[in-house]
Amino acid sequence: MQQENKTFRRVVTGHDADGKAVIIADAPPAHTQLVGGPGGPTFFEVWHTLETPASIALQPAEPEENGLVLPPPKNGTRLRIIEFPPEGEAFRKLMAADTAAEFKSMGSEKTASTGEAAPHPLMHRTKTVDYGIVLEGEITLVLDRGETTIYAGDIVIQSGTNHAWANRSGRPCRMAFVLIDGSFSNEFDHA
């Protein structure tokens, strides 16, 4: 099944020389990337911040990015939209080496946590708090112990959990993600 990417707009606001609020950009996201080849998800990199609190400029500039990077910048945030096509047979046969290479290409080789016992070939964990919102379709959140299907309008709040996304619906799914840089508490030293 060929997935059609529906265009969406990214409207960026700022201020004019008088300090009045204005629209400074109104176009699709500038950075889009298909991951894993045909049948893989498409990442739309919408925006990211480099620090907290975020610097607010009169005329915010397009954030610079060298390729697709999975986590947000240190002490920053990242907003992305991902379109997940339905999982096909080729996707289900991914080997751990293939997925490790995909995560490495996104600057996140240490996030992959696949193996023979992994419940999904794209299991991974990041040091982030993530807000995932299903915009269209449905998708299954796969965890080490359990899974749940989430639908349009549902929101997932992840706190550094090992997870994967499985689109078993037969239709594309579009999700918005807000990733916030984090750190694991000392509790993880004993888990």
Side-chain angles (χ1 to χ4, degrees), residues 33 35-36 43 66-71 95-114 121-126:
Q33 184 170 333
V35 176
F43 283 60
N66 292 327
L68 181 64
V69 179
L70 190 62
M95 303 299 291
D98 296 333
T99 58
E102 287 297 329
F103 283 113
K104 184 176 182 178
S105 74
M106 293 185 275
S108 299
E109 61 191 306
K110 294 179 182 178
T111 65
S113 54
T114 59
L122 293 179
M123 294 296 287
H124 64 286
R125 175 193 313 241
T126 54

Side-chain angles (χ1 to χ4, degrees), residues 84-149:
F84 296 93
E87 290 183 5
E89 191 60 34
F91 179 83
R92 291 183 187 100
K93 293 181 179 179
L94 281 174
M95 303 299 291
D98 296 333
T99 58
E102 287 297 329
F103 283 113
K104 184 176 182 178
S105 74
M106 293 185 275
S108 299
E109 61 191 306
K110 294 179 182 178
T111 65
S113 54
T114 59
E116 286 187 32
H120 192 275
L122 293 179
M123 294 296 287
H124 64 286
R125 175 193 313 241
T126 54
K127 290 194 311 184
T128 59
V129 173
D130 302 342
Y131 306 140
I133 305 149
V134 179
L135 302 173
E136 298 175 24
E138 65 183 64
I139 198 158
T140 300
L141 169 62
V142 181
L143 301 171
D144 292 328
R145 295 187 180 150
E147 60 183 52
T148 189
T149 301

Side-chain angles (χ1 to χ4, degrees), residues 23-182:
I23 295 171
I24 59 171
D26 185 345
H31 306 288
T32 301
Q33 184 170 333
L34 176 65
V35 176
T42 300
F43 283 60
F44 298 87
E45 298 301 280
V46 180
W47 202 261
H48 69 264
T49 62
L50 299 174
E51 58 200 2
T52 301
S55 177
I56 300 172
L58 284 176
Q59 296 275 311
E62 179 73 37
E64 289 186 30
E65 195 79 75
N66 292 327
L68 181 64
V69 179
L70 190 62
K74 185 71 177 159
N75 298 317
T77 65
R78 182 174 305 285
L79 172 60
R80 73 168 40 108
I81 304 293
I82 303 179
E83 290 188 355
F84 296 93
E87 290 183 5
E89 191 60 34
F91 179 83
R92 291 183 187 100
K93 293 181 179 179
L94 281 174
M95 303 299 291
D98 296 333
T99 58
E102 287 297 329
F103 283 113
K104 184 176 182 178
S105 74
M106 293 185 275
S108 299
E109 61 191 306
K110 294 179 182 178
T111 65
S113 54
T114 59
E116 286 187 32
H120 192 275
L122 293 179
M123 294 296 287
H124 64 286
R125 175 193 313 241
T126 54
K127 290 194 311 184
T128 59
V129 173
D130 302 342
Y131 306 140
I133 305 149
V134 179
L135 302 173
E136 298 175 24
E138 65 183 64
I139 198 158
T140 300
L141 169 62
V142 181
L143 301 171
D144 292 328
R145 295 187 180 150
E147 60 183 52
T148 189
T149 301
I150 55 176
Y151 304 91
D154 292 346
I155 301 168
V156 175
I157 300 160
Q158 294 189 144
S159 295
T161 54
N162 193 35
H163 70 284
W165 300 102
N167 186 348
R168 301 170 182 155
S169 72
R171 296 181 323 273
C173 176
R174 179 182 280 185
M175 288 187 73
F177 291 93
V178 177
L179 293 81
I180 304 165
D181 184 43

